[in-house]
Amino acid sequence: MAAASDAVAPMSGAEGTAAPRIGALLIRPIEAVSALLLCVIIVLLLAGVASRYVFSYPVVWIDEVASISFLWLAMLGSAIAIDRNEHLRLTLFTGMFPRSLQGFIHTLGLVLTATFLLVMLQPAVEYVMEEWYVTSAALNIPNSFRVSAIAFGIFAMLGFIASHAVKTSTVRDLVVSTVLVAAIVGMLWLLSPTLLRLGNVNIVIFLVGVVALCLVMGVPIAFCFGIGTLAFLAFSTRVPIFVMIGRMDEGMSSIILLSVPIFVFLGCILDATGMGKAIVDFLASLLGHVKAGMSYVLLGSLFLVSGISGSKVSDMATVAPALFPEMKRRGHKPREMIALLATGAAMADTVPPSIVLIVLGSVAGVSIAGLFTSGFVVAMVLLAVLAALARMKAAGESLGDVRRAPFRTMWRTMLIAAPALVLPFLIRSAVGGGVATATEVSTIAVLYALVIGIFLYGGIGPRKFYDMLVETAALSGAILLILGTALAMAWALTQTGFAQQLASYMAGLPGGWIIFMAMTIVVFLILGCVLEGLPAIVLMAPLMFPIAKNLGINDIHYSMVVVTAMNIGLMAPPIGIGFYIACKIGNVPPDEAMGAIWPYILALLVGLVLIAAIPGISTAFL
């Protein structure tokens, strides 16, 4: 969600045009290279799948080239997201500030972000030089070719931040913000001998206080984590900043994460070709004539579409425009529709190929095949509780002149939707059955969707295809930068000994695994509200999963509880970011929808308690 302020005034004159000109010169080649890199990654992975499974001759250098391209895609995509103002941020509080202060707070956030990038630039360059002495196993080239993406990405983001600041801020706000940031840095540097003696109090000051303050100001979440971690390391420890670059590299470079941009791209194909609408039309022809039928169609569409796109935003954007007009005609209130849309998207986030499940598998070392199999069953449980509530609420629904769709219509819509319906089951069965990895399946799914989309659902023009590639790069870069800075923050937390203290505290709680599971639910509900899913997982999974294992909790079972709790928090007002995205997609004011969503949240909580209390729901089909 992008933050914007009516109180922000642009600079004028020659001084106000230099930085925007630099930004305009940078963005087009960066977008073109990002689009090319995404194509290269897909082609390479498809070639790897063909060489391994068709010709039984694995090409060992493919993974290395894909890894190099992937980090460059992540950093260039992060820069594009800066230029487009598409980095995820918490905007709930920015509108609460007095209008006279909103422009200044916006500028202060930009200056803080620019300061972080400026400080990180030198360590990033040093990291490139250090990695020159490390060579890759297959290509036998210096690792600097890969990690130089971090230095260049930081430089590009710094340029776009400067361009954005000059275009949207007044000279006075820029000067005052710069002086204020410099004064705060100077004060913290003078206080650093005292801060060094405070021990774990610094966690509260920097990793909680500074991060929370930046979140309230509307600073993108990735940079909130980065600023808090940088301040913590610089002023309260003797750890060199250089180490933070290595942790960010680690967070963004896992080979498992290669499937993230590919599934994001798959979601773009789904939207562009109308494959998602075909599924919606088929379900509407089957269930549209019964009471609560359109609610069932909405939930079922989210369930099936999620199995293709892997993205909550893509799911909601595909389903809502296709169903909301008919639901309004049947008397559904807009606020109830938004409540069902938001909670349905939370339910569907465990349906493979969920990006959240892929990231969790990477961070916590849990089998992605197991997560995909279990996630499908868990989503069915949540679907059942939401459908039951929707049926109760539809007791007084008037169907009027609604009639059962003719068999011919059902048959026609089924034939049109059949190729699209195959895809989610293909993905789940291939990964769950161990036939292929999530990354390999994602590339096959993209190829399948492109071919089917072009020949059966209407082609994608060259310009649209290019825009989809660039949009995928921007969204993927925003996601992966969050993972990088969140992992750096999680590493900083573990270095303080906090993880061991938390583990000891949790292990000593009365009630065993039941109390621990209850605390897990509370923690991830809150983190889901505040941080969105991915950063919450990266921060807490390394701390919580070892404790769960010591208490005898199955990794897959615990993963399902964590992801479900986090998704419910994401959709819970007044803070949950996903709730506001749903309101924006459905064009309904948040204040109007807020009261209607609580019964649906309660239904999801009932489902969550069942999932937590009955391990067999998550593990029976493994």
Side-chain angles (χ1 to χ4, degrees):
M1 297 174 68
S5 174
D6 297 329
V8 175
M11 294 180 67
S12 59
E15 183 181 340
T17 59
R21 194 179 299 121
I22 294 170
L25 288 172
L26 271 174
I27 189 60
R28 293 194 182 279
I30 287 178
E31 287 180 346
V33 172
S34 297
L36 179 61
L37 284 171
L38 182 57
C39 291
V40 167
I41 289 171
I42 293 172
V43 170
L44 281 173
L45 292 176
L46 281 172
V49 171
S51 68
R52 188 176 294 112
Y53 292 105
V54 178
F55 303 107
S56 300
Y57 184 78
V59 182
V60 293
W61 54 264
I62 283 180
D63 285 347
E64 284 189 8
V65 177
S67 179
I68 294 170
S69 303
F70 178 59
L71 186 57
W72 275 95
L73 177 69
M75 294 308 300
L76 295 181
S78 297
I80 296 170
I82 288 281
D83 181 70
R84 297 183 172 201
N85 203 19
E86 290 181 354
H87 275 279
L88 192 67
R89 66 188 75 212
L90 183 65
T91 58
L92 175 68
F93 301 103
T94 52
M96 298 181 181
F97 294 110
R99 290 182 63 85
S100 57
L101 282 179
Q102 287 181 15
F104 172 72
I105 290 168
H106 168 78
T107 304
L108 182 59
L110 291 175
V111 172
L112 281 169
T113 304
T115 303
F116 167 74
L117 292 169
L118 192 61
V119 173
M120 296 302 293
L121 188 57
Q122 182 182 345
V125 173
E126 292 176 359
Y127 189 61
V128 173
M129 297 167 65
E130 185 79 15
E131 290 293 303
W132 184 261
Y133 302 102
V134 180
T135 57
S136 60
L139 296 174
N140 200 31
I141 60 173
N143 199 37
S144 295
F145 286 103
R146 187 182 67 84
V147 301
S148 56
I150 300 175
F152 182 83
I154 290 174
F155 172 77
M157 285 189 279
L158 190 57
F160 291 135
I161 284 285
S163 173
H164 192 59
V166 168
K167 286 190 291 186
T168 62
S169 303
T170 64
V171 176
R172 180 184 62 84
D173 285 347
L174 275 173
V175 171
V176 174
S177 297
T178 303
V179 170
L180 180 59
V181 170
I184 293 172
V185 170
M187 181 188 68
L188 289 173
W189 181 75
L190 291 172
L191 290 174
S192 58
T194 303
L195 293 171
L196 279 168
R197 295 192 293 269
L198 292 180
N200 285 350
V201 174
N202 290 306
I203 295 175
V204 178
I205 296 173
F206 294 106
L207 300 183
V208 177
V210 170
V211 171
L213 182 62
C214 290
L215 282 170
V216 169
M217 291 169 55
V219 175
I221 291 175
F223 296 104
C224 292
F225 291 154
I227 292 166
T229 307
L230 176 63
F232 176 77
L233 295 178
F235 301 119
S236 67
T237 74
R238 292 187 173 89
V239 176
I241 305 302
F242 175 85
V243 175
M244 189 174 168
I245 295 290
R247 301 287 74 76
M248 289 174 61
D249 178 21
E250 183 183 338
M252 293 185 288
S253 298
S254 172
I255 198 73
I256 296 175
L257 298 177
L258 263 173
S259 57
V260 170
I262 303 174
F263 277 129
V264 171
F265 185 54
L266 186 60
C268 292
I269 296 172
L270 175 75
D271 292 337
T273 59
M275 293 175 74
K277 187 178 183 304
I279 293 174
V280 173
D281 290 343
F282 170 58
L283 292 178
S285 71
L286 285 180
L287 301 171
H289 62 282
V290 302
K291 277 201 173 184
M294 295 308 291
S295 297
Y296 298 155
V297 172
L298 188 148
L299 291 172
S301 299
L302 286 168
F303 186 93
L304 290 173
V305 169
S306 179
I308 302 175
S309 71
S311 163
K312 287 186 290 293
V313 176
S314 177
D315 302 342
M316 292 190 288
T318 299
V319 170
L323 288 180
F324 276 16
E326 176 63 18
M327 293 179 76
K328 285 180 182 177
R329 192 182 73 78
R330 296 193 185 190
H332 288 258
K333 296 178 181 177
R335 60 196 184 99
E336 294 286 340
M337 289 155 42
I338 290 298
L340 194 60
L341 178 70
T343 50
M347 166 271 298
D349 208 31
T350 62
V351 179
S354 165
I355 292 173
V356 172
L357 292 184
I358 294 168
V359 172
L360 178 58
S362 171
V363 172
V366 182
S367 163
I368 291 180
L371 291 175
F372 276 19
T373 300
S374 181
F376 201 82
V377 179
V378 164
M380 291 287 286
V381 173
L382 299 176
L383 175 66
V385 295
L386 287 175
L389 177 61
R391 180 65 182 84
M392 290 168 57
K393 283 182 166 287
E397 181 181 349
S398 174
L399 296 178
D401 58 350
V402 176
R403 296 288 181 269
R404 180 193 297 268
F407 178 77
R408 179 181 298 176
T409 301
M410 286 189 281
W411 178 252
R412 179 176 56 81
T413 56
M414 186 192 73
L415 286 178
I416 295 172
L421 285 168
V422 168
L423 194 50
F425 297 101
L426 171 70
I427 293 169
R428 191 202 71 81
S429 58
V431 178
V435 175
T437 67
T439 303
E440 291 168 342
V441 169
S442 66
T443 56
I444 297 169
V446 162
L447 181 63
Y448 174 88
L450 275 175
V451 172
I452 294 298
I454 289 172
F455 289 103
L456 296 183
Y457 293 98
I460 303 172
R463 183 67 204 179
K464 177 65 176 176
F465 188 75
Y466 177 78
D467 290 342
M468 286 163 51
L469 291 170
V470 175
E471 182 62 34
T472 299
L475 181 55
S476 302
I479 291 171
L480 293 165
L481 188 63
I482 287 176
L483 297 183
T485 54
L487 187 70
M489 184 172 168
W491 176 85
L493 267 174
T494 58
Q495 297 308 299
T496 63
F498 174 76
Q500 290 77 13
Q501 294 173 21
L502 178 65
S504 299
Y505 172 74
M506 290 284 197
L509 287 173
W513 74 271
I514 296 176
I515 297 299
F516 174 74
M517 195 69 89
M519 289 195 65
T520 294
I521 290 173
V522 172
V523 166
F524 279 93
L525 280 172
I526 296 171
L527 288 176
C529 284
V530 178
L531 294 181
E532 209 267 335
L534 299 178
I537 283 176
V538 178
L539 279 176
M540 296 303 295
L543 303 180
M544 303 290 273
F545 270 77
I547 304 171
K549 197 166 188 176
N550 288 337
L551 291 172
I553 301 173
N554 180 278
D555 282 348
I556 301 292
H557 176 211
Y558 191 64
S559 298
M560 291 301 111
V561 172
V562 164
V563 171
T564 305
M566 189 188 62
N567 287 333
I568 296 173
L570 180 66
M571 296 298 175
I575 298 177
I577 297 170
F579 169 73
Y580 295 97
I581 294 175
C583 291
K584 184 178 179 182
I585 289 171
N587 198 26
V588 174
D591 293 345
E592 183 181 334
M594 200 171 291
I597 199 172
W598 291 112
Y600 295 94
I601 294 287
L602 182 61
L604 285 179
L605 288 172
V606 170
L608 174 58
V609 169
L610 289 174
I611 293 162
I614 308 173
I617 293 175
S618 304
T619 60
F621 294 92
L622 296 179

